[in-house]
Amino acid sequence: MIYPEKCIGCSSCELACSFQHTGEFRPTKSRISAIRWPKMGVSVPLTCLQCEDPSCMKVCMVGAITKDKETGLVSINQEKCIGCRLCTAACPFGNINYDPEEAIVFKCDLCDGEPQCVEFCPNNAIEYREATDALLQRKKKVSAKFAEILEEVR
Amino acid sequence: MIKIRVNGKPVAIHDEDKTLLDVIKEIGINIPALCYHPGLPARGSCRLCVVEITKPSWNGRSKIVTSCLYPCEDGLEVLTHSPKVIKLRKVIIKLLLARCSDSKELQELALQYNADVSRFGTKENEKCILCGLCTRACEEMGIEAISMVNRGWKKEVAPPYYEPPENCIGCGACAEVCPVGAIELTETNGIRRIWNREFEIQKCVECGKYFATVAQLEHLHNKYGIPLKDLKTCPECSKKRVGTVLKKTFFD
Amino acid sequence: MKADFKVVDRIIESYGCKKNSLIQILQDVQEKYNYLPRKFVERVARKLGVSLSKAYAVATFYKAFSLNPRGENLIRVCMGTACHIKGAPEVVEEFSKILKIKPGETTEDLKYSLETVNCVGACAMAPVVVVNNEYYGNMTPGKVRDILKKKETRKG
Ligand code: FES
Ligand code: FES
């Protein structure tokens, strides 16, 4: 669960994520990123939403992207990936990226259940929890409003 | 559950669809397998993954099989490095190396297996080992822009009539899966070149970064009905767009 | 040309427009036109729903198919092991010299095509030349002119 109102745009999540996955502190290799509006003092952390019906998975012809039925995690099997990169273009949220150095596509993998971004966020703007009724309620509300605004900007 | 032995060591296999090569790799034994890719159907064309198999009931007889195609059968005894296997693998390496003498991958293998090519003449400027991974990748993509054409010593991978393939989307998966780097893909000034065809790369409408070929995006549009205008931003800018909407959701 | 497409379409339909009839269909087209014109390969692929790359792969794999026009008379000289050592190369050379074409080519007047094949299964009478469906055994360069003359006079 993401709480943009709590995000202070400090980049801790990006650094923690890139370090966890690549051993380097490089936000460009992070699976999460904070979109910032410094003048307004506003920022929003964004990462893979582990979609119900993921576009990335749909366009992957070799079954390298799968969604775990139990955990809901959408993950990439690097071994199976043939590098067509269609997933990076298909994700409407831009949450799969291509790393030209390693020649792989990458996305959030929830750090096997212990997301480092959550761990290192100083203000609890990102949480990783079981979905409770209250949380789902909030999610629904947010997404309804989100959809509304999305329609407007399109 | 299936029980087999690999080099004398008992292995229990739960997934019956696994091939011998899957099991061999899983238990950490390294054998060459150039035409194998976990995401693509196996074809057994490089022959490097050969192993010797036998069963107690075979009265001491054994068979040589390509492990990437052979299913796990209960009671199989598999030898990945028996003298017979090594000898055969060596010949295969020699033949492949005679065809593609400049290939680093093959030279490494030759070193490992102590194989020299002196017996065979070498072909010049050949990189492709005809393993068919590229054609399989293209087929899985549902594109089929390239195939194995001709036969015998004239066999090669090519698009129909050796012309720039019309249906190719320039995704580059063929080049990506090629185990010996034989397929050339270059990118300069917003143009990707592959199979003698030039592909325009889409410039992100927000930031101007090149990110995918126009043909790839059109393919996504045609096949999945994703509106083209939603495809014209690079991942970073798509993210920003979502961020903007979220910002409005929360702060305006 | 339109009429030709109809002919091809009829061939396709006679096999029920099935993907796995690709080879038979191409064979019939080859029989009819003596080669596989590109338009027809494309047509067959499209009608059967197989990719052009696959159809092209099949068309280039089998010796029975030719993507270039073949002459009225197809001369195939066996270059199999037995024929080779009994002098087939000289026979090929003689054909080449008289017809002024190399193996794999067709004379300009579309009368003759010259090809080499690998063993036609008649090694006992090596070297062997097959013209259309007639077999000539124990060939020598000297007999080449006779064969060609026979073809000419028969056509009259
Ligand atoms: S990997 Fe099995 S034959 Fe190439
Ligand atoms: S080698 Fe010519 S017929 Fe056998």
Side-chain angles (χ1 to χ4, degrees), chain A residues 2 4-5 31-33 35 37 40 42-44 46 58-59 61-62 79-86 88-90 92-97 103 138 142 145-146 149-150 153-154, chain B residues 37-40 137 140-141 169 171-173 176-177 192 212 216-217 219-220 223-224 226-227 229-231 235-236 238-252:
Chain A
I2 286 168
E5 62 273 29
R31 279 82 174 137
I32 186 168
S33 32
I35 313 293
W37 289 267
M40 293 174 66
V42 166
S43 56
V44 182
L46 284 175
K58 221 174 353 190
V59 303
M61 301 308 291
V62 295
E79 294 242 294
K80 279 194 171 183
C81 172
I82 58 171
C84 73
R85 291 187 251 165
L86 285 184
T88 62
F93 311 111
N95 281 324
I96 300 191
N97 279 73
R138 178 178 180 271
V142 173
K145 197 160 170 211
F146 182 90
I149 298 175
L150 187 65
V153 298
R154 280 183 112 201
Chain B
H37 189 289
L40 298 171
E140 286 304 293
M141 289 296 296
I169 58 169
C171 73
E176 168 74 30
V177 297
R192 184 182 290 175
Q216 272 176 302
L217 304 179
H219 173 73
L220 283 175
K223 191 158 172 195
Y224 303 101
I226 307 173
K229 71 173 194 323
D230 287 358
L231 290 166
E236 287 81 24
S238 304
K239 217 170 190 172
K240 273 190 199 138
R241 191 175 54 194
V242 177
T244 311
V245 179
L246 256 190
K247 183 193 96 184
K248 285 195 178 143
T249 314
F250 278 93
F251 299 105
D252 293 356

Coordinates of all heavy atoms in Angstrom, one line a residue, chain A residues 2 4-5 31-33 35 37 40 42-44 46 58-59 61-62 79-86 88-90 92-97 103 138 142 145-146 149-150 153-154, chain B residues 37-40 137 140-141 169 171-173 176-177 192 212 216-217 219-220 223-224 226-227 229-231 235-236 238-252:
Chain A
I2 N 0.5 2.2 -0.8 CA 1.3 3.4 -1.0 C 0.6 4.6 -0.4 O -0.6 4.8 -0.6 CB 1.6 3.7 -2.5 CG1 2.7 2.7 -3.0 CG2 2.1 5.1 -2.7 CD1 2.8 2.7 -4.5
P4 N 1.0 8.3 -0.7 CA 1.8 9.4 -1.2 C 1.8 10.6 -0.3 O 2.8 11.4 -0.3 CB 0.9 9.8 -2.5 CG 0.2 8.6 -2.8 CD -0.1 7.9 -1.5
E5 N 0.8 10.8 0.5 CA 0.8 11.9 1.4 C 2.0 11.9 2.4 O 2.4 12.9 3.0 CB -0.5 12.1 2.1 CG -1.0 11.0 3.0 CD -1.7 9.9 2.3 OE1 -1.5 9.7 1.1 OE2 -2.6 9.2 3.0
R31 N 13.7 -0.7 -8.9 CA 12.4 -1.2 -9.4 C 11.2 -0.3 -8.9 O 10.1 -0.4 -9.2 CB 12.1 -2.6 -8.8 CG 12.8 -3.7 -9.6 CD 14.2 -3.9 -9.3 NE 14.8 -5.0 -9.9 CZ 16.0 -5.0 -10.5 NH1 16.8 -4.0 -10.5 NH2 16.5 -6.1 -11.0
I32 N 11.6 0.7 -8.0 CA 10.6 1.6 -7.5 C 11.2 3.0 -7.8 O 12.4 3.2 -7.8 CB 10.4 1.4 -6.0 CG1 9.2 2.3 -5.5 CG2 11.6 1.6 -5.2 CD1 8.8 1.9 -4.1
S33 N 10.3 3.9 -8.1 CA 10.8 5.3 -8.2 C 9.8 6.3 -7.6 O 8.6 6.1 -7.7 CB 11.2 5.6 -9.6 OG 10.4 5.0 -10.5
I35 N 8.2 9.8 -8.0 CA 8.0 10.9 -9.0 C 7.8 12.2 -8.1 O 7.0 12.2 -7.2 CB 6.7 10.7 -9.8 CG1 6.7 9.3 -10.4 CG2 6.6 11.7 -10.9 CD1 7.7 8.9 -11.4
W37 N 7.5 16.5 -7.4 CA 7.2 17.8 -7.8 C 7.8 18.7 -6.7 O 7.1 19.2 -5.8 CB 5.7 18.0 -7.9 CG 5.1 17.3 -9.0 CD1 4.9 17.8 -10.3 CD2 4.7 16.0 -9.1 NE1 4.3 16.9 -11.1 CE2 4.2 15.7 -10.4 CE3 4.6 14.9 -8.2 CZ2 3.7 14.5 -10.8 CZ3 4.2 13.7 -8.6 CH2 3.7 13.5 -9.9
M40 N 6.1 21.9 -5.3 CA 4.9 21.7 -4.5 C 5.3 20.9 -3.2 O 4.4 20.8 -2.3 CB 3.9 20.9 -5.3 CG 3.3 21.7 -6.5 SD 2.2 20.6 -7.4 CE 0.9 20.4 -6.2
V42 N 5.8 17.8 -3.2 CA 5.0 16.6 -3.3 C 5.7 15.5 -4.0 O 6.5 15.8 -5.0 CB 3.6 16.9 -4.1 CG1 3.0 15.6 -4.5 CG2 2.7 17.8 -3.2
S43 N 5.6 14.3 -3.6 CA 6.2 13.2 -4.4 C 5.3 11.9 -4.2 O 4.6 11.8 -3.2 CB 7.6 12.9 -3.9 OG 7.7 12.7 -2.6
V44 N 5.4 11.0 -5.2 CA 4.6 9.8 -5.2 C 5.5 8.6 -5.5 O 6.1 8.6 -6.6 CB 3.5 9.9 -6.3 CG1 2.7 8.6 -6.2 CG2 2.7 11.1 -6.1
L46 N 6.2 5.0 -6.8 CA 5.5 4.1 -7.7 C 6.3 2.8 -8.0 O 7.5 2.9 -8.3 CB 5.2 4.8 -9.0 CG 4.1 5.8 -9.1 CD1 4.1 6.5 -10.4 CD2 2.8 5.2 -8.7
K58 N 0.5 -11.0 -20.4 CA -0.3 -11.3 -21.6 C 0.6 -11.3 -22.9 O 0.4 -12.1 -23.8 CB -1.5 -10.3 -21.8 CG -2.7 -11.0 -22.2 CD -4.0 -10.2 -22.3 CE -3.9 -8.8 -21.7 NZ -5.2 -8.1 -21.6
V59 N 1.4 -10.3 -23.0 CA 2.2 -10.2 -24.2 C 3.4 -11.1 -24.3 O 4.1 -11.2 -25.3 CB 2.6 -8.7 -24.5 CG1 1.4 -7.8 -24.5 CG2 3.6 -8.2 -23.5
M61 N 5.2 -14.2 -24.9 CA 4.8 -15.4 -25.6 C 5.5 -16.7 -25.1 O 5.1 -17.8 -25.5 CB 5.2 -15.2 -27.1 CG 4.5 -14.0 -27.8 SD 2.8 -14.0 -27.5 CE 2.2 -15.4 -28.5
V62 N 6.5 -16.5 -24.3 CA 7.2 -17.7 -23.9 C 7.0 -18.1 -22.4 O 7.6 -18.9 -21.8 CB 8.8 -17.6 -24.1 CG1 9.1 -17.5 -25.5 CG2 9.3 -16.4 -23.3
E79 N 15.6 -16.7 -17.0 CA 16.1 -17.8 -17.8 C 15.2 -18.0 -19.1 O 15.7 -18.2 -20.2 CB 16.0 -19.1 -17.0 CG 16.9 -19.1 -15.9 CD 17.9 -20.3 -16.0 OE1 17.5 -21.4 -16.0 OE2 19.1 -19.9 -16.3
K80 N 13.9 -17.9 -18.9 CA 13.0 -18.1 -20.0 C 12.9 -16.9 -20.9 O 12.5 -17.1 -22.1 CB 11.6 -18.4 -19.4 CG 11.4 -19.9 -19.0 CD 9.9 -20.1 -18.8 CE 9.7 -21.6 -18.6 NZ 8.2 -21.8 -18.5
C81 N 13.2 -15.8 -20.4 CA 13.0 -14.5 -21.2 C 13.8 -14.6 -22.5 O 15.0 -15.0 -22.5 CB 13.4 -13.3 -20.4 SG 13.5 -11.8 -21.3
I82 N 13.2 -14.2 -23.6 CA 14.0 -14.3 -24.9 C 14.3 -12.8 -25.3 O 14.8 -12.6 -26.4 CB 13.3 -15.0 -26.0 CG1 11.9 -14.4 -26.3 CG2 13.2 -16.5 -25.7 CD1 11.2 -15.0 -27.5
G83 N 14.0 -11.9 -24.5 CA 14.5 -10.5 -24.8 C 13.7 -9.7 -25.9 O 14.3 -8.9 -26.5
C84 N 12.4 -10.0 -26.0 CA 11.7 -9.2 -27.1 C 11.3 -7.9 -26.6 O 11.0 -7.0 -27.4 CB 10.5 -10.0 -27.6 SG 9.1 -10.0 -26.4
R85 N 11.3 -7.7 -25.3 CA 11.0 -6.4 -24.6 C 9.6 -5.9 -24.9 O 9.4 -4.7 -24.7 CB 12.1 -5.4 -25.1 CG 13.4 -5.7 -24.5 CD 14.4 -4.6 -24.8 NE 15.4 -5.0 -25.8 CZ 16.1 -4.1 -26.5 NH1 16.0 -2.8 -26.2 NH2 17.0 -4.5 -27.3
L86 N 8.7 -6.7 -25.3 CA 7.4 -6.2 -25.5 C 6.7 -5.8 -24.2 O 5.9 -4.9 -24.1 CB 6.5 -7.3 -26.2 CG 6.7 -7.5 -27.7 CD1 5.7 -8.5 -28.3 CD2 6.6 -6.2 -28.5
T88 N 8.0 -4.3 -21.7 CA 8.3 -3.0 -21.2 C 7.4 -1.9 -21.9 O 7.0 -0.9 -21.3 CB 9.8 -2.6 -21.5 OG1 9.9 -2.6 -22.9 CG2 10.7 -3.5 -20.9
A89 N 7.0 -2.2 -23.1 CA 6.1 -1.3 -23.8 C 4.7 -1.5 -23.4 O 3.9 -0.6 -23.5 CB 6.3 -1.4 -25.3
A90 N 4.4 -2.7 -23.0 CA 2.9 -3.1 -22.8 C 2.5 -2.6 -21.4 O 1.3 -2.4 -21.2 CB 2.7 -4.6 -22.9
P92 N 1.2 -0.5 -18.8 CA 0.7 0.9 -18.9 C 1.2 1.8 -17.9 O 1.1 3.0 -17.9 CB -0.8 0.7 -18.7 CG -1.0 -0.6 -18.1 CD 0.2 -1.4 -18.4
F93 N 1.9 1.2 -16.8 CA 2.4 2.0 -15.7 C 3.9 2.2 -15.8 O 4.5 2.8 -14.9 CB 2.0 1.4 -14.4 CG 0.5 1.1 -14.3 CD1 0.1 -0.2 -14.3 CD2 -0.4 2.1 -14.3 CE1 -1.2 -0.5 -14.3 CE2 -1.8 1.8 -14.3 CZ -2.2 0.5 -14.2
G94 N 4.5 1.7 -16.8 CA 6.0 1.8 -17.0 C 6.7 1.1 -15.9 O 7.8 1.6 -15.5
N95 N 6.2 0.0 -15.4 CA 6.9 -0.6 -14.3 C 7.8 -1.7 -14.6 O 8.4 -2.4 -13.8 CB 5.9 -1.1 -13.3 CG 5.4 0.1 -12.4 OD1 6.1 1.0 -12.1 ND2 4.1 0.1 -12.1
I96 N 8.0 -2.0 -15.9 CA 9.0 -2.9 -16.3 C 10.0 -2.2 -17.1 O 9.7 -1.4 -18.1 CB 8.5 -4.1 -17.2 CG1 7.5 -4.9 -16.4 CG2 9.6 -5.0 -17.6 CD1 7.1 -6.2 -17.0
N97 N 11.3 -2.3 -16.8 CA 12.3 -1.6 -17.5 C 13.3 -2.5 -18.1 O 13.5 -3.7 -17.7 CB 13.0 -0.6 -16.6 CG 12.2 0.7 -16.4 OD1 11.2 0.6 -15.7 ND2 12.7 1.7 -17.0
A103 N 21.4 -6.5 -20.3 CA 20.5 -7.0 -21.3 C 19.3 -7.9 -20.7 O 19.1 -9.0 -21.1 CB 21.2 -7.8 -22.3
R138 N -9.9 1.4 1.2 CA -9.1 2.5 0.8 C -8.7 2.4 -0.7 O -8.8 3.3 -1.4 CB -7.9 2.6 1.7 CG -7.0 3.8 1.4 CD -5.8 3.9 2.3 NE -4.9 5.0 1.9 CZ -3.9 4.9 1.1 NH1 -3.7 3.8 0.5 NH2 -3.2 6.0 0.8
V142 N -9.4 5.0 -3.7 CA -8.3 5.6 -4.4 C -8.4 5.3 -5.9 O -8.3 6.2 -6.8 CB -6.9 5.2 -3.9 CG1 -5.8 5.7 -4.8 CG2 -6.7 5.6 -2.5
K145 N -11.2 7.2 -7.8 CA -10.8 8.6 -8.0 C -9.7 8.6 -9.1 O -9.8 9.5 -10.0 CB -10.3 9.2 -6.8 CG -10.3 10.7 -6.8 CD -10.3 11.4 -5.5 CE -10.0 12.9 -5.6 NZ -9.3 13.4 -4.5
F146 N -8.8 7.7 -9.0 CA -7.7 7.6 -10.0 C -8.3 7.5 -11.4 O -7.9 8.2 -12.3 CB -6.9 6.4 -9.7 CG -5.7 6.2 -10.6 CD1 -4.5 6.8 -10.3 CD2 -5.8 5.4 -11.7 CE1 -3.4 6.6 -11.1 CE2 -4.7 5.3 -12.6 CZ -3.5 5.9 -12.2
I149 N -9.9 10.7 -12.7 CA -8.9 11.7 -13.2 C -8.2 11.2 -14.4 O -7.9 12.0 -15.4 CB -7.9 12.0 -12.1 CG1 -8.6 12.6 -10.9 CG2 -6.8 12.9 -12.6 CD1 -7.7 12.8 -9.7
L150 N -7.9 10.0 -14.5 CA -7.3 9.4 -15.7 C -8.1 9.7 -16.9 O -7.6 10.1 -18.0 CB -7.1 7.9 -15.6 CG -6.3 7.2 -16.6 CD1 -4.8 7.7 -16.6 CD2 -6.3 5.7 -16.5
V153 N -7.6 13.4 -17.9 CA -6.4 13.8 -18.6 C -6.2 13.2 -19.9 O -5.4 13.7 -20.7 CB -5.1 13.5 -17.7 CG1 -5.2 14.3 -16.4 CG2 -5.0 12.0 -17.4
R154 N -6.9 12.2 -20.2 CA -6.7 11.5 -21.5 C -7.0 12.3 -22.7 O -8.0 12.8 -22.9 CB -7.4 10.1 -21.5 CG -6.7 9.1 -20.8 CD -7.4 7.8 -20.9 NE -6.5 6.9 -21.6 CZ -7.0 5.8 -22.3 NH1 -8.3 5.6 -22.3 NH2 -6.2 5.0 -22.9
Chain B
H37 N 17.2 -23.4 -24.8 CA 16.8 -22.2 -24.1 C 15.6 -22.5 -23.3 O 14.6 -23.1 -23.8 CB 16.5 -21.1 -25.1 CG 16.3 -19.8 -24.5 ND1 15.2 -19.5 -23.7 CD2 17.1 -18.6 -24.4 CE1 15.3 -18.2 -23.3 NE2 16.4 -17.7 -23.7
P38 N 15.6 -22.2 -22.0 CA 14.5 -22.6 -21.1 C 13.1 -22.1 -21.6 O 12.1 -22.7 -21.2 CB 14.9 -22.0 -19.8 CG 16.3 -21.8 -19.8 CD 16.7 -21.5 -21.2
G39 N 13.1 -21.0 -22.3 CA 11.8 -20.4 -22.7 C 11.3 -21.0 -24.0 O 10.2 -20.6 -24.5
L40 N 12.1 -21.8 -24.7 CA 11.7 -22.3 -26.0 C 11.7 -23.8 -26.1 O 12.4 -24.5 -25.4 CB 12.7 -21.7 -27.1 CG 12.8 -20.2 -27.2 CD1 14.0 -19.8 -28.0 CD2 11.5 -19.6 -27.7
A137 N 12.5 -18.8 -31.5 CA 12.1 -17.6 -30.8 C 11.1 -16.8 -31.7 O 10.0 -16.4 -31.2 CB 13.3 -16.7 -30.5
E140 N 7.8 -18.6 -31.7 CA 7.0 -18.4 -30.4 C 6.4 -17.0 -30.3 O 5.3 -16.8 -29.8 CB 8.0 -18.6 -29.2 CG 8.3 -20.1 -29.0 CD 7.2 -21.0 -28.8 OE1 6.4 -20.9 -27.8 OE2 7.0 -21.9 -29.6
M141 N 7.1 -16.1 -30.9 CA 6.6 -14.7 -30.8 C 5.4 -14.6 -31.7 O 4.7 -13.6 -31.7 CB 7.7 -13.7 -31.4 CG 8.9 -13.5 -30.5 SD 8.4 -12.7 -28.9 CE 7.8 -11.1 -29.5
I169 N 9.1 -7.5 -36.6 CA 8.8 -6.3 -35.9 C 10.0 -5.7 -35.2 O 10.0 -4.8 -34.5 CB 7.7 -6.6 -34.8 CG1 8.2 -7.7 -33.8 CG2 6.4 -6.9 -35.4 CD1 7.3 -7.8 -32.5
C171 N 12.0 -6.9 -32.9 CA 12.1 -7.0 -31.5 C 13.5 -7.5 -31.0 O 13.9 -7.2 -29.9 CB 11.0 -8.0 -30.9 SG 11.3 -9.7 -31.2
G172 N 14.2 -8.2 -31.9 CA 15.6 -8.6 -31.5 C 15.7 -9.8 -30.7 O 16.7 -10.1 -30.2
A173 N 14.6 -10.5 -30.5 CA 14.6 -11.7 -29.7 C 15.6 -12.7 -30.3 O 16.3 -13.5 -29.6 CB 13.2 -12.3 -29.5
E176 N 19.0 -12.0 -29.4 CA 19.1 -12.1 -28.0 C 19.4 -13.6 -27.6 O 20.2 -13.9 -26.8 CB 17.9 -11.6 -27.3 CG 17.7 -11.9 -25.8 CD 18.7 -11.1 -24.9 OE1 19.0 -10.0 -25.3 OE2 19.1 -11.7 -23.9
V177 N 18.6 -14.5 -28.2 CA 18.8 -15.9 -27.9 C 19.9 -16.6 -28.6 O 20.3 -17.7 -28.2 CB 17.5 -16.7 -28.1 CG1 16.4 -16.2 -27.2 CG2 17.1 -16.7 -29.6
R192 N 16.8 1.0 -35.9 CA 17.4 -0.3 -35.6 C 17.5 -1.1 -36.9 O 16.6 -1.2 -37.7 CB 16.5 -1.0 -34.6 CG 17.0 -2.4 -34.1 CD 16.1 -3.1 -33.2 NE 16.0 -2.4 -31.9 CZ 15.1 -2.8 -30.9 NH1 14.3 -3.8 -31.1 NH2 15.1 -2.1 -29.8
A212 N 11.4 1.8 -28.3 CA 10.9 0.5 -28.9 C 10.7 0.8 -30.4 O 10.4 1.9 -30.8 CB 9.7 0.0 -28.2
Q216 N 7.1 -2.8 -33.3 CA 6.7 -3.5 -32.0 C 5.5 -3.0 -31.4 O 4.6 -3.7 -31.0 CB 7.9 -3.3 -31.0 CG 9.0 -4.3 -31.1 CD 10.1 -4.0 -30.0 OE1 10.7 -3.0 -30.1 NE2 10.3 -5.0 -29.2
L217 N 5.4 -1.6 -31.4 CA 4.2 -1.0 -30.8 C 2.9 -1.3 -31.6 O 1.9 -1.6 -31.1 CB 4.4 0.5 -30.7 CG 5.7 0.9 -29.9 CD1 5.8 2.4 -29.8 CD2 5.6 0.3 -28.5
H219 N 2.5 -3.9 -33.4 CA 2.2 -5.3 -33.2 C 1.4 -5.4 -31.9 O 0.3 -6.1 -31.9 CB 3.5 -6.1 -33.0 CG 3.3 -7.5 -32.6 ND1 2.8 -8.5 -33.4 CD2 3.6 -8.1 -31.4 CE1 2.8 -9.6 -32.7 NE2 3.2 -9.4 -31.5
L220 N 1.8 -4.7 -30.8 CA 1.0 -4.7 -29.6 C -0.4 -4.2 -29.8 O -1.4 -4.7 -29.3 CB 1.7 -3.9 -28.5 CG 2.9 -4.5 -27.8 CD1 3.6 -3.5 -26.9 CD2 2.5 -5.7 -27.1
K223 N -2.4 -6.8 -32.0 CA -2.7 -8.1 -31.4 C -3.5 -8.0 -30.1 O -4.4 -8.8 -29.8 CB -1.4 -8.8 -31.1 CG -1.6 -10.2 -30.7 CD -0.3 -11.0 -31.0 CE -0.4 -12.4 -30.4 NZ 0.9 -13.0 -30.3
Y224 N -3.3 -6.9 -29.4 CA -4.0 -6.8 -28.1 C -4.9 -5.6 -27.9 O -5.5 -5.4 -26.9 CB -2.9 -6.7 -26.9 CG -2.0 -7.9 -27.0 CD1 -0.7 -7.8 -27.5 CD2 -2.4 -9.1 -26.5 CE1 0.2 -8.8 -27.5 CE2 -1.5 -10.2 -26.5 CZ -0.2 -10.1 -27.0 OH 0.6 -11.1 -27.1
I226 N -4.3 -2.6 -27.7 CA -3.8 -1.5 -26.8 C -3.8 -0.2 -27.7 O -3.2 -0.2 -28.8 CB -2.4 -1.7 -26.2 CG1 -2.4 -3.1 -25.5 CG2 -2.0 -0.6 -25.3 CD1 -1.0 -3.5 -25.1
P227 N -4.5 0.9 -27.3 CA -4.5 2.1 -28.1 C -3.1 2.6 -28.4 O -2.3 2.6 -27.5 CB -5.3 3.1 -27.3 CG -6.0 2.3 -26.2 CD -5.2 1.0 -26.0
K229 N -1.9 5.4 -28.9 CA -1.4 6.6 -28.3 C -0.9 6.3 -26.8 O -0.1 7.1 -26.3 CB -2.4 7.8 -28.3 CG -3.7 7.6 -27.4 CD -4.5 8.9 -27.5 CE -5.5 9.0 -26.4 NZ -6.3 7.9 -26.0
D230 N -1.4 5.2 -26.3 CA -1.0 4.9 -24.9 C 0.4 4.2 -25.0 O 1.0 4.0 -24.0 CB -1.9 3.9 -24.3 CG -3.2 4.5 -23.9 OD1 -3.3 5.8 -24.0 OD2 -4.1 3.9 -23.4
L231 N 0.8 3.9 -26.2 CA 2.1 3.1 -26.3 C 3.3 4.1 -26.7 O 4.4 3.6 -26.8 CB 2.0 2.1 -27.4 CG 1.1 0.9 -27.1 CD1 0.8 0.1 -28.3 CD2 1.7 0.0 -26.1
P235 N 8.8 3.8 -20.7 CA 8.4 3.4 -19.4 C 8.5 4.5 -18.3 O 7.6 4.7 -17.5 CB 9.3 2.2 -19.1 CG 9.6 1.7 -20.4 CD 9.7 2.8 -21.3
E236 N 9.6 5.2 -18.3 CA 9.8 6.3 -17.3 C 8.6 7.3 -17.4 O 8.1 7.7 -16.4 CB 11.1 7.0 -17.5 CG 12.3 6.2 -17.0 CD 12.8 5.2 -18.1 OE1 12.4 5.4 -19.3 OE2 13.4 4.2 -17.8
S238 N 5.7 6.9 -18.8 CA 4.4 6.3 -18.4 C 4.2 6.4 -16.9 O 3.2 6.6 -16.4 CB 4.3 4.8 -18.8 OG 4.6 4.7 -20.2
K239 N 5.4 6.1 -16.2 CA 5.3 6.1 -14.8 C 5.0 7.5 -14.3 O 4.2 7.7 -13.4 CB 6.7 5.7 -14.3 CG 6.7 4.8 -13.0 CD 8.1 4.3 -12.8 CE 8.0 3.2 -11.7 NZ 9.2 2.5 -11.5
K240 N 5.6 8.5 -14.9 CA 5.4 9.9 -14.5 C 3.9 10.2 -14.7 O 3.3 10.9 -13.9 CB 6.3 10.8 -15.4 CG 7.6 11.0 -14.8 CD 8.4 12.1 -15.4 CE 9.9 11.9 -15.1 NZ 10.8 12.2 -16.2
R241 N 3.4 9.7 -15.8 CA 2.0 10.0 -16.1 C 1.1 9.5 -15.0 O 0.2 10.1 -14.5 CB 1.6 9.4 -17.5 CG 0.2 9.9 -18.0 CD 0.0 9.3 -19.3 NE 0.1 7.9 -19.3 CZ 0.2 7.2 -20.4 NH1 0.2 7.7 -21.6 NH2 0.3 5.8 -20.4
V242 N 1.4 8.2 -14.6 CA 0.6 7.6 -13.5 C 0.8 8.4 -12.2 O -0.1 8.7 -11.5 CB 1.1 6.2 -13.3 CG1 0.3 5.6 -12.1 CG2 0.8 5.3 -14.5
G243 N 2.1 8.8 -12.0 CA 2.4 9.6 -10.9 C 1.6 10.9 -10.8 O 1.0 11.3 -9.8
T244 N 1.5 11.6 -12.0 CA 0.7 12.8 -12.1 C -0.8 12.6 -11.7 O -1.3 13.3 -10.9 CB 0.7 13.3 -13.5 OG1 2.1 13.3 -14.0 CG2 0.2 14.8 -13.6
V245 N -1.3 11.5 -12.2 CA -2.7 11.2 -11.9 C -2.8 10.9 -10.4 O -3.8 11.4 -9.7 CB -3.2 10.0 -12.7 CG1 -4.7 9.7 -12.4 CG2 -3.1 10.3 -14.2
L246 N -1.9 10.2 -9.9 CA -2.0 9.8 -8.4 C -1.8 11.1 -7.6 O -2.5 11.3 -6.6 CB -0.8 8.9 -8.1 CG -1.2 7.4 -7.8 CD1 0.0 6.7 -7.2 CD2 -2.4 7.3 -6.9
K247 N -1.0 12.0 -8.1 CA -0.8 13.2 -7.3 C -2.1 14.0 -7.3 O -2.5 14.4 -6.2 CB 0.3 14.1 -8.0 CG 0.6 15.4 -7.3 CD 1.4 16.3 -8.2 CE 0.4 17.3 -8.8 NZ 1.0 18.2 -9.8
K248 N -2.8 14.0 -8.4 CA -4.1 14.7 -8.4 C -5.0 14.0 -7.5 O -5.8 14.7 -6.8 CB -4.6 14.8 -9.9 CG -3.9 15.8 -10.7 CD -4.6 16.0 -12.0 CE -3.9 17.1 -12.8 NZ -4.0 16.8 -14.2
T249 N -5.0 12.7 -7.5 CA -5.9 11.9 -6.7 C -5.7 12.3 -5.2 O -6.7 12.4 -4.5 CB -5.6 10.4 -6.8 OG1 -5.5 10.1 -8.2 CG2 -6.8 9.6 -6.2
F250 N -4.5 12.5 -4.8 CA -4.3 12.7 -3.4 C -4.2 14.2 -3.0 O -4.5 14.5 -1.9 CB -3.0 12.0 -3.0 CG -3.2 10.6 -2.8 CD1 -3.0 9.6 -3.8 CD2 -3.6 10.1 -1.5 CE1 -3.2 8.3 -3.5 CE2 -3.8 8.8 -1.3 CZ -3.6 7.9 -2.3
F251 N -3.7 15.0 -3.8 CA -3.3 16.3 -3.3 C -4.1 17.5 -3.9 O -4.1 18.6 -3.4 CB -1.8 16.6 -3.6 CG -0.9 15.6 -3.0 CD1 -0.3 14.6 -3.7 CD2 -0.7 15.7 -1.6 CE1 0.6 13.7 -3.1 CE2 0.2 14.8 -1.0 CZ 0.8 13.8 -1.7
D252 N -4.9 17.2 -5.0 CA -5.7 18.4 -5.5 C -7.1 18.5 -4.9 O -7.7 17.5 -4.6 CB -5.7 18.3 -7.0 CG -4.3 18.4 -7.6 OD1 -3.4 18.7 -6.8 OD2 -4.1 18.3 -8.8

